[in-house]
Amino acid sequence: MAGPLFTGSITALITPFRDGAVDEKAFQDFVKWQIEEGTDGLVPVGTTGESPTLSHAEHKRVVELCVEAAEGRVPVIAGTGSNSTAEAIDFTRHAEQAGADAALSVCPYYNKPNQEGLYQHFKAIHDASELPILIYNIPGRSIVDMSVETMARLAELPRIVGVKDATVDLVRPYRTRAACGADFCQLSGEDATVVPYLAQGGHGCISVTANVAPKLCGDLHDAWRAGDLDTVHRINDRLMPLHLALFAEPSPQATKYALSQLGRCANELRLPLIPVAPRTEALVRDAMVHAGLVN
């Protein structure tokens, strides 16, 4: 590889709903707005996109809608993970056929594979398509934590190109760089720690906050690449209350509320997720004011 394949601010997209169905127009309008605001990449149908409650047909349709609306302007990294290897392969093959640029596949949740099981799971996905694959390591949701050693084994495969790291372990990017090489793409999965993650060798962030503040998130990464630390810290200070507010309740509950205030989607989720409580609404509004997103 000649440098990491993906860098900067990459949005973990919400999936808009209206009257219980995917709101296809709102979603494609949202994708176009994200690109206009300076987002560097898009991740449809991850957890932020409420993928656990999408049918397989809806999941695949959202990937197709994203690729269509992006029109090749920024990379589309389709969420294709599952705790069933066969299902993850099916989603990954579909993403490839739909024209996605890469796949993001989560460490299998609930069935708790050991390190060799993790290796074999991702190797099988790798061998089943030609798409570049990012490993999504999020022990807080999947229970299992892929070791740096297992990741280094997987990095030897030509199309395992990086990781979305949601371990919140700020030594991890250094250790991963040492084990996997400087070109192995390291993307933070934790908005509130993005600046120290970059300082430890990260290349970008797959961001929830970028749904609501795509320009600010993009500007932060642009400033980092330019070595303008004063701007990085100024933007980080504006964003930090929003990072925290958007996770005051299970994500993407607060994000859907914030976007409804910006007129980008209805404040509608699928059970078991529900709209946020009034106290969280106030917290999110205050954070949006602090960030300069609303008056």
Side-chain angles (χ1 to χ4, degrees), residues 37-173:
E37 291 288 292
T39 288
D40 295 305
L42 302 165
V43 177
V45 289
T47 311
T48 308
E50 295 176 74
S51 58
T53 57
L54 296 178
S55 70
H56 287 194
E58 287 173 326
H59 181 120
K60 293 175 179 179
R61 178 62 177 155
V62 171
V63 172
E64 292 164 2
L65 290 167
C66 187
V67 170
E68 181 181 285
E71 297 180 312
R73 289 174 288 172
V74 300
V76 173
I77 306 167
T80 65
S82 174
N83 62 341
S84 160
T85 304
E87 190 172 286
I89 287 171
D90 179 60
F91 281 142
T92 303
R93 285 175 169 164
H94 170 266
E96 182 178 17
Q97 292 162 4
D101 299 281
L104 176 67
S105 194
V106 70
C107 291
Y109 41 87
Y110 194 76
N111 41 14
K112 298 172 66 174
N114 61 19
Q115 294 299 310
E116 185 61 26
L118 288 173
Y119 177 82
Q120 295 298 337
H121 171 81
F122 283 100
K123 184 179 185 300
I125 298 168
H126 169 277
D127 293 347
S129 89
E130 296 299 316
L131 274 186
I133 295 165
L134 291 165
I135 296 163
Y136 184 11
N137 193 27
I138 181 164
R141 285 185 183 266
S142 66
I143 304 302
V144 294
D145 181 2
M146 181 179 287
S147 70
V148 173
E149 293 75 18
T150 300
M151 196 162 293
R153 286 180 67 198
L154 285 164
E156 294 174 0
L157 301 174
R159 290 182 301 283
I160 302 288
V161 299
V163 60
K164 177 183 177 183
D165 179 352
T167 63
V168 203
D169 174 359
L170 291 173
V171 180
R172 190 72 65 101

Side-chain angles (χ1 to χ4, degrees), residues 97-280:
Q97 292 162 4
D101 299 281
L104 176 67
S105 194
V106 70
C107 291
Y109 41 87
Y110 194 76
N111 41 14
K112 298 172 66 174
N114 61 19
Q115 294 299 310
E116 185 61 26
L118 288 173
Y119 177 82
Q120 295 298 337
H121 171 81
F122 283 100
K123 184 179 185 300
I125 298 168
H126 169 277
D127 293 347
S129 89
E130 296 299 316
L131 274 186
I133 295 165
L134 291 165
I135 296 163
Y136 184 11
N137 193 27
I138 181 164
R141 285 185 183 266
S142 66
I143 304 302
V144 294
D145 181 2
M146 181 179 287
S147 70
V148 173
E149 293 75 18
T150 300
M151 196 162 293
R153 286 180 67 198
L154 285 164
E156 294 174 0
L157 301 174
R159 290 182 301 283
I160 302 288
V161 299
V163 60
K164 177 183 177 183
D165 179 352
T167 63
V168 203
D169 174 359
L170 291 173
V171 180
R172 190 72 65 101
Y174 165 78
R175 294 181 59 220
T176 300
R177 186 174 78 251
C180 301
D183 290 342
F184 190 73
C185 179
Q186 296 198 70
L187 303 172
S188 172
E190 167 64 27
D191 278 295
T193 60
V194 64
V195 173
Y197 189 88
L198 292 170
Q200 284 281 61
H203 303 111
C205 182
I206 295 180
S207 168
V208 173
T209 303
N211 280 283
V212 181
K215 186 175 190 309
L216 276 178
C217 291
D219 287 350
L220 184 149
H221 287 273
D222 289 344
W224 177 266
R225 286 186 289 247
D228 183 356
L229 295 184
D230 288 342
T231 299
V232 168
H233 292 302
R234 184 172 68 252
I235 296 173
N236 196 48
D237 287 346
R238 286 176 64 185
L239 285 172
M240 190 59 70
L242 188 59
H243 294 329
L244 300 176
L246 294 181
F247 286 89
E249 295 191 28
S251 181
Q253 289 179 184
T255 302
K256 283 278 184 83
Y257 170 73
L259 288 170
S260 74
Q261 298 304 292
L262 296 176
R264 294 289 164 187
C265 72
N267 186 25
E268 185 174 329
L269 303 105
R270 284 186 176 171
L271 288 169
L273 298 184
I274 59 173
V276 293
R279 64 182 179 278
T280 302

